[in-house]
Structures are given as structure tokens and as C-alpha cells.
Amino acid sequence: MEANQNEESECALIIRAAHDAMDVLNGKWKIPIIAVLCFSKKRYSDLLKEIKGISGKMLSKELKDMELNHLLKRTVLETQPITVEYELTEHGIKLKDSIKQLAIWGTAYRKEIIKE
């Protein structure tokens, strides 16, 4: 009985942690934004070009949310006109391997299920 309780307790912790991650990464756009920023820091206009289908308003909202959650850092450069760059924080960089694994899974899924 003790082993079963430990398994249930461990399962509850995993589910809670997964829910926490899903709360931070929720929505359609956060993972693509992180994926783009995994390669290098980007300006707002670069992100808008590279992430197909996202609107400027949605990108702004997601970037603010991700900054609040310490996934990315916003830097205002003193150029004329002013340039703003976004890059992953150390906390955000920790997601790089997970996103790579999701991409590998997604590729296999397309091949096996969608036949693409």
C-alpha cells in the first residue's frame, strides 16, 4: 500500500508541474516564439516576419506575457530610430531541449499519422 501511495504522490507532483508549465506556455504562439529565439536574439519586426500567421497585436501581447514569466528579456537599444531586441533568459533557454524534442515528435507524427 505504501508503494502505491508514493506512486500516486509522484504522479500528482508530475501532473502539477505539467500544469504549471502549460500555464506559462499556453496558447498557440509562445512555443514558436521561443523556438525562433533559440537561434538568436531578434527584433520585433524579425519575429513578426519569421512567425507566420501571428498578428502584431498578438505578438506584442505574447512578448509582454513571456517577459513577465521571465522567459525572455527585452532590450531597448539607443539607436535612431530606437531598436528593441528580444532574447531568451537563462530560464527560457532551459526550454530549448524540450522544444527540440517536441519538434522531433511532431515530425514523426506527420510522417506516421498524417502521411506527410
Side-chain angles (χ1 to χ4, degrees):
M1 184 113 163
E2 178 92 16
N4 195 24
Q5 283 182 329
N6 286 341
E7 286 176 15
E8 288 177 16
S9 177
E10 184 179 351
C11 181
L13 289 173
I14 290 170
I15 290 170
R16 181 177 171 196
H19 278 283
D20 290 345
M22 289 168 55
D23 284 344
V24 172
L25 299 173
N26 69 345
K28 180 177 180 178
W29 302 109
K30 287 186 181 80
I31 289 177
I33 292 168
I34 293 168
V36 168
L37 292 174
C38 280
F39 293 96
S40 66
K41 52 177 98 167
K42 299 285 184 186
R43 295 181 320 197
Y44 177 87
S45 58
D46 296 329
L47 289 167
L48 205 51
K49 287 176 195 169
E50 288 196 44
I51 303 168
K52 303 294 182 224
I54 193 168
S55 69
K57 184 177 178 180
M58 180 58 73
L59 179 59
S60 292
K61 178 194 164 304
E62 295 291 59
L63 291 171
K64 286 176 188 169
D65 191 36
M66 293 169 72
E67 188 177 10
L68 285 172
N69 284 306
H70 306 277
L71 295 175
L72 59 81
K73 177 179 146 188
R74 179 181 185 266
T75 304
V76 179
L77 303 173
E78 307 241 356
T79 57
Q80 229 16 355
I82 290 176
T83 305
V84 179
E85 287 184 334
Y86 296 91
E87 64 185 304
L88 294 177
T89 60
E90 286 183 34
H91 189 61
I93 289 169
K94 292 176 184 174
L95 290 166
K96 190 173 183 175
D97 289 338
S98 298
I99 289 174
K100 186 175 182 180
Q101 289 301 314
L102 275 174
I104 290 168
W105 182 88
T107 300
Y109 176 81
R110 280 190 175 278
K111 286 180 182 173
E112 292 176 30
I113 306 300
I114 301 176
K115 307 289 185 213
E116 207 172 273

